[in-house]
Amino acid sequence: MSTMFCFQCEQTAGGKGCTKAGVCGKSADVALQQDELTAALVELARAAQGKKSSPRVDELVLQGLFATVTNVNFDGARINEWIQKIRTEIIAFGGAAPFDAAALWQGDPDTVSLRSTLLLGLRGMAAYAWHAYTLGKTDDEVTAWFYKGLNAVGADHSAGEWLELLLEFGRVNLKCMALLDEANTSAYGHPTPAEVPTNVAPGPFIVISGHDLYDLKQLLEQTEGRGVNIYTHGEMLPAHAYPELRKYAHLKGNFGTAWQNQQKEFDGVPAAFLFTTNCLMPPKASYADRVFTTAVVGYPELQHIPDEDGRKDFSPVIEKALELGGWTETRHFTGINGGSRLLTGFARQTVLGAAGQVIDAVKAGAIKHFFLVGGCDGARPGRNYYTEFVQKAPQDTIILTLACGKYRFNDLDLGTIGGLPRLMDMGQCNDAYSAIQVALALADAFQCGVNDLPLTLVLSWYEQKAVCILLTLLALGVKNIYLGPTLPAFISSNVLNILVEQFGIKPISTPEADLQAILG
């Protein structure tokens, strides 16, 4: 069998690529199976070219791409099932020219870099499209672009053509994030600010992790009146801001901190854990019996909750929580910095609702600068940069944040400016759409371009959803983004030079130096 190669996440071995086993915990065999799954998707896109697809095939494309995102699926048997289903659809379309999985990571370094960037972006967008799809929302242009993008991955292009594809993809991903925003807000209402407790009450409880709000809604419905409390974890924290989810009294609070701490924080906890998306880490034997997966998430020997015609039966999760019983007294927990106060729900409608207040504060000099400090979190050293950056940002600045990187600092109390919190959590990673809408509205209010605003993006990246968001920002012409904690291993030196020259991408240095460079 060929040697694995994977450099899609920020923590990849040696900053170059995993070749024996994934730093994420996936085996070499599973990594190779994921490559075979990707190759099958390329062949499916070739077979479907010029022909009418179907919802069944579209589902396979979304699931197959989503399953290969970091920390989603470690189950070789599940991956092989997808491969076989895709092969069946390829035959039904009349066949296609084969694509060698090994070719994904081979060739001219710049071509590999550009190809990989597009592929990883497609994987991230598939996650967003899947969440919208489960709520009945689709968009023909977004769906068609998965086939176009996969065809492009399997073809040769000049450097200029690759760049055009990447920017076109970024524009389509914005449309995909808007689709998911519409799906979530039409189903659950627009987010409003919420203070989320970090304590855990006595009695049975379930911790739900990931991003899928529809899974949470079904779990809340099925546990109502059962004496089982629900706590969010990781990127599910912003769920507390949605009125149609917050109305359930047994949605009690948030458990734990960043996703990479789960092996320590879940150990010995008398509760059931449900993973709806990434980021699942290989569970320790001491708590593996109480971890459940659903949707495209998978891990060998963990119990999986299937989808039955758009609905799921979470009875096994609920029964496990009742069996374990929870704690007998209230447990008190804090964030990474010792705080126990988490705020969320500052999405675009809330922030733009205070636009007049914000604009007046800027004109009066009370607010000098906005920082969007967001993105993915991880365990690699150097991520304390983001905590220090937020702590050292002047009192006349506002910090907007989103995605799981906020767990580095979201328990800090930074005070207020003009009645607004200095630290405002805008939501999940896909809620970058809200941040973009706020930036565009402020630019319109000040009659300037986005790049002329007193706004700087300071982003951390870990996995593929961060890639698609970055490409969207570049497609919108946003410049001078600070990116860290390390540059992607899949970006070659020549491609990096293009990003620096055309878009002003800046690797982070130190909080002090970067703040000085930004604020002068």
Side-chain angles (χ1 to χ4, degrees):
M1 183 173 285
S2 303
T3 302
M4 74 168 282
F5 181 77
C6 183
F7 60 0
Q8 69 177 12
C9 86
E10 187 266 336
Q11 294 180 180
T12 195
K16 296 180 179 179
C18 296
T19 57
K20 295 182 180 179
V23 172
C24 63
K26 69 182 174 185
S27 68
D29 286 347
V30 168
L32 290 166
Q33 288 171 312
Q34 290 187 355
D35 286 352
E36 289 295 333
L37 174 57
T38 302
L41 288 169
V42 171
E43 292 176 23
L44 178 60
R46 288 175 171 177
Q49 200 164 19
K51 301 171 184 175
K52 186 173 177 58
S53 183
S54 68
R56 182 184 66 254
V57 177
D58 295 342
E59 278 189 28
L60 277 175
V61 171
L62 295 182
Q63 290 175 333
L65 284 167
F66 192 179
T68 56
V69 169
T70 305
N71 291 91
V72 172
N73 199 297
F74 302 79
D75 190 344
R78 290 271 310 282
I79 294 169
N80 278 330
E81 286 179 14
W82 277 307
I83 293 172
Q84 297 311 312
K85 288 179 180 179
I86 291 168
R87 296 289 182 206
T88 299
E89 297 297 341
I90 292 170
I91 293 171
F93 274 120
F99 179 76
D100 183 4
L104 289 168
W105 323 116
Q106 295 176 353
D108 170 74
D110 297 332
T111 299
V112 172
S113 178
L114 293 162
R115 180 198 301 131
S116 300
T117 303
L118 179 58
L119 173 60
L120 302 184
L122 285 166
R123 289 176 176 179
M125 187 169 77
Y128 298 148
W130 178 255
H131 295 316
Y133 183 82
T134 61
L135 290 172
K137 300 291 185 180
T138 61
D139 180 273
D140 290 344
E141 183 182 1
V142 172
T143 301
W145 223 95
F146 285 110
Y147 294 91
K148 178 176 181 176
L150 286 166
N151 266 301
V153 166
D156 295 323
H157 308 279
S158 68
E161 289 169 339
W162 277 117
L163 288 171
E164 282 300 315
L165 281 165
L166 290 173
L167 294 178
E168 182 182 342
F169 165 80
R171 292 187 287 270
V172 173
N173 184 60
L174 177 65
K175 195 165 190 177
C176 184
M177 288 195 294
L179 181 72
L180 179 53
D181 180 89
E182 179 192 357
N184 285 336
T185 55
S186 62
Y188 313 119
H190 282 275
T192 57
E195 183 169 336
V196 184
T198 59
N199 298 329
V200 176
F205 67 103
I206 295 169
V207 176
I208 181 169
S209 189
H211 305 71
D212 200 303
L213 300 180
Y214 185 46
D215 283 337
L216 172 59
K217 179 66 158 57
Q218 293 179 77
L219 182 64
L220 288 168
E221 291 171 344
Q222 293 175 35
T223 50
E224 193 168 24
R226 299 289 305 274
V228 177
N229 290 326
I230 307 299
Y231 293 84
T232 55
H233 173 264
E235 282 272 64
M236 199 65 83
L237 168 65
H240 293 271
Y242 288 91
E244 289 302 307
L245 299 175
R246 190 166 60 199
K247 71 181 184 182
Y248 290 90
H250 61 300
L251 178 60
K252 289 290 188 181
N254 191 73
F255 178 86
T257 55
W259 64 268
Q260 73 272 6
N261 298 323
Q262 67 190 255
Q263 290 178 327
K264 176 179 67 176
E265 293 177 344
F266 291 4
D267 196 16
V269 176
F273 300 91
L274 175 63
F275 280 85
T276 65
T277 64
N278 57 321
C279 288
L280 171 67
M281 294 183 72
K284 296 170 68 173
S286 58
Y287 65 84
D289 67 321
R290 59 203 63 181
V291 179
F292 298 80
T293 63
T294 192
V296 297
V297 190
Y299 195 88
E301 299 181 6
L302 294 187
Q303 188 166 347
H304 187 76
I305 306 299
D307 185 306
E308 302 289 347
D309 297 322
R311 296 289 295 175
K312 296 178 181 179
D313 181 1
F314 289 116
S315 295
V317 188
I318 298 168
E319 294 305 320
K320 176 58 73 172
L322 290 168
E323 173 194 329
L324 292 167
W327 284 302
T328 58
E329 56 187 21
T330 299
R331 292 293 181 104
H332 301 276
F333 296 95
T334 62
I336 290 176
N337 302 289
S340 58
R341 178 175 177 266
L342 303 180
L343 290 175
T344 191
F346 293 90
R348 74 179 192 283
Q349 191 175 65
T350 295
V351 177
L352 292 178
Q357 186 178 349
V358 171
I359 292 167
D360 289 344
V362 173
K363 290 180 176 179
I367 298 175
K368 294 289 180 59
H369 207 87
F370 297 87
F371 294 105
L372 175 61
V373 184
C376 307
D377 200 8
R380 182 187 288 274
R383 289 186 177 269
N384 57 315
Y385 166 94
Y386 298 94
T387 307
E388 294 178 16
F389 188 98
V390 168
Q391 289 173 322
K392 294 175 180 178
Q395 291 295 310
D396 56 6
T397 62
I398 279 184
I399 312 293
L400 304 173
T401 189
L402 46 78
C404 61
K406 63 176 168 273
Y407 280 98
R408 293 278 166 175
F409 49 80
N410 69 335
D411 61 323
L412 293 171
D413 185 353
L414 301 183
T416 62
I417 296 180
L420 294 171
R422 282 193 58 230
L423 176 60
M424 291 189 276
D425 174 18
M426 304 191 79
Q428 297 180 340
C429 53
N430 51 280
D431 290 313
Y433 177 76
S434 266
I436 289 168
Q437 297 308 307
V438 168
L440 293 174
L442 288 176
D444 183 62
F446 286 109
Q447 297 184 326
C448 67
V450 171
N451 293 312
D452 299 316
L453 288 170
L455 168 68
T456 303
L457 278 61
V458 184
L459 306 181
S460 61
W461 79 282
Y462 174 74
E463 43 88 355
Q464 296 72 66
K465 283 175 278 186
V467 177
C468 67
I469 291 171
L470 179 61
L471 291 173
T472 291
L473 293 171
L474 299 183
L476 289 170
V478 178
K479 294 186 176 182
N480 302 319
I481 297 170
Y482 283 74
L483 183 64
T486 60
L487 291 172
F490 53 83
I491 297 293
S492 69
S493 58
N494 287 332
V495 172
L496 176 61
N497 287 338
I498 293 173
L499 295 178
V500 171
E501 291 170 6
Q502 292 192 16
F503 303 101
I505 292 286
K506 303 176 187 295
I508 62 170
S509 58
T510 66
E512 296 86 355
D514 291 343
L515 283 166
Q516 176 63 29
I518 295 166
L519 299 175

